[in-house]
């Protein structure tokens, strides 16, 4: 049987584009959103120039140096206060023992009076074997009463003194707590500044670190050049002083006669040595002390800077100066702020070996002048004790400690 053809009209396939339109719309929307976000987002912060990084790091180290001096001051105050508290507590303990002794003595008097009881003076007189015996006994009782009264007075005195010392001890303990709080705060401040400085340095690339090192070398070279100029100027001035002194000696020799000329000539060998000081006797004494100071300081070269350290294996700046001058028999305070108040102020042009040179407006750093515009100092965290130009940092002022 033949197959019948289908009279149904074949269905035409229609390609739908709805999904494509939806995808395009979504894509456009995404692009628009991203564009909007990009337009509204804050621009990336530009990386600071290496010169700015150097300034920032130097400033953080300076701030850390200032915080270190605060720490040193708080530590010294805390140590002194602890000593005072211990002394007061020891005194209170001794006075308490004296109070207990006085109390035991009073107890013995009270017990004795309780056992013997008390008789009226009139009855005692009539019961006595003879009047003289009564009066003898009366004098003994009077002296006994005086001893009892003295014991009572001593007890009250000791009690009042112990109470006063106990109050002082309490106040000292409160002050000790305050200084220890300041000590912790200063320590945290130092650590914060140093952490920030290290963080800045750690973000530098190898190329940036090389550039920073080059800037440091340039800074050191400029400082060294200034030191050489100071050294040349000081040498010229010393030569002028020597010539003037020689001329004065020659003129004095002429006035005194030719016979004394040879004697004057033999003295010229020692004159330049004393001429470099501030005087013959005092200058020589200071020079001897300065020699000990510098000998000690040179022996510390290469040891690490550690904030709050005063030797013998590490130092901060004021710890080094304090230890060095101790070798010459001179006791300096612990902080730069106190050390700058010791001795005599001197101009930079008049510096002599052994003088202390202070830096920055906040007087947060110090070094020991060694001559020729150079100093020995404990520079900063990560560095060792070394020789350096005094012009590496801005100079605040200088002192001659002895």
């Amino acid at each position: 049987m033949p197959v019948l053809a289908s009279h149904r009209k074949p269905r035409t396939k229609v390609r739908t584009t709805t999904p494509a339109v939806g995808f395009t719309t979504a894509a456009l929307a995404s692009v628009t959103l991203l564009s909007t976000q990009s337009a509204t987002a804050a621009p990336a912060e530009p990386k600071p120039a290496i010169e700015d990084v150097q300034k920032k790091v130097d400033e953080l180290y300076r701030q850390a140096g200032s915080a270190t001096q605060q720490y040193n001051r708080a530590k010294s105050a805390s140590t002194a206060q602890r000593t005072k508290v211990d002394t007061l507590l020891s005194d209170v303990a001794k006075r308490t023992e004296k109070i207990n002794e006085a109390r035991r003595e009073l107890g013995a008097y009270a017990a004795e009076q309780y056992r013997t009881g008390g008789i009226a003076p009139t009855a005692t007189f009539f019961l006595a074997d003879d009047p003289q015996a009564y009066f003898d006994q009366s004098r003994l009782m009077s002296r006994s009463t005086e001893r009892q009264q003295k014991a009572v007075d001593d007890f009250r005195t000791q009690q009042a003194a112990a109470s006063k010392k106990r109050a002082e001890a309490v106040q000292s303990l409160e002050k000790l707590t305050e200084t220890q709080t300041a000590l912790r705060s200063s320590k945290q401040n130092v650590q914060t500044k140093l952490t920030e400085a290290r963080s800045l340095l750690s973000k530098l690339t190898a190329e940036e670190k090389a550039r920073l090192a080059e800037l440091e070398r340039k800074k050191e070279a400029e400082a060294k050049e200034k030191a050489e100029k100071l050294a040349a100027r000081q040498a010229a001035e010393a030569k002028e002083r020597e010539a003037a002194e020689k001329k004065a000696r020659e003129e004095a020799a002429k006035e005194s006669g030719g016979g004394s000329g040879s004697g004057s000539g033999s003295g010229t060998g020692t004159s330049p040595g004393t001429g470099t000081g501030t005087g013959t006797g005092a200058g020589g004494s200071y020079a001897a002390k300065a020699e000990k100071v510098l000998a000690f300081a040179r022996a510390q070269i290469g040891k690490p800077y550690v904030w709050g350290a005063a030797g013998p294996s590490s130092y901060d700046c004021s710890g080094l100066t304090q230890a060095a001058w101790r070798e010459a028999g001179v006791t300096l305070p612990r902080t730069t702020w106190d050390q700058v108040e010791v001795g005599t102020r001197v101009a930079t042009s008049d510096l002599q070996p052994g003088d202390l040179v202070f830096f920055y407006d906040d007087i947060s750093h110090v070094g020991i002048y060694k001559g020729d515009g150079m100093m020995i100092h404990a520079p900063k965290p990560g560095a060792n004790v070394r020789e350096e130009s005094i012009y590496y940092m801005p100079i605040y002022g200088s002192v001659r400690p002895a």
Side-chain angles (χ1 to χ4, degrees), residues 10-148:
R11 181 177 298 175
T12 304
K13 294 182 179 180
V14 180
R15 187 183 301 271
T16 176
T17 59
T18 302
V21 171
F23 176 79
T24 303
T25 304
L28 288 172
S30 299
V31 171
T32 303
L33 179 61
L34 289 173
S35 299
T36 304
Q37 290 176 343
S38 299
T40 57
E45 185 177 347
K47 195 169 186 178
I50 195 65
E51 291 81 3
D52 294 334
V53 173
Q54 182 191 38
K55 290 179 182 178
K56 180 65 175 176
V57 170
D58 287 347
E59 175 63 15
L60 286 170
Y61 278 138
R62 185 199 64 75
Q63 292 175 4
S66 182
T68 296
Q69 297 308 312
Q70 292 174 347
Y71 172 85
N72 291 338
R73 175 173 285 180
K75 186 175 182 180
S76 296
S78 179
T79 301
Q81 196 62 32
R82 167 55 67 185
T83 301
K84 183 178 181 180
V85 167
D86 290 344
T87 301
L88 284 170
L89 290 177
S90 176
D91 189 280
V92 167
K94 291 177 182 178
R95 290 180 183 278
T96 300
E97 179 58 29
K98 288 182 179 180
I99 288 175
N100 291 335
E101 290 177 2
R103 184 179 286 111
R104 285 192 291 270
E105 186 176 359
L106 288 176
Y109 283 132
E112 180 65 22
Q113 189 174 14
Y114 176 79
R115 286 194 298 270
T116 59
I119 303 176
T122 304
T124 304
F125 175 77
F126 284 110
L127 293 174
D129 294 335
D130 61 77
Q132 185 60 44
Y134 166 77
F135 288 116
D136 291 342
Q137 185 179 9
S138 178
R139 282 195 293 271
L140 287 174
M141 291 298 294
S142 177
R143 285 196 291 270
S144 177
T145 303
E146 289 175 0
R147 287 196 300 272
Q148 292 179 14

Side-chain angles (χ1 to χ4, degrees), residues 242-266:
E242 181 180 345
E245 290 171 0
K246 183 178 180 181
K247 184 178 179 181
R249 286 193 300 270
E250 290 174 349
E251 290 177 352
K254 289 178 181 179
E255 291 178 0
S256 61
S260 60
S262 60
S264 174
S266 65

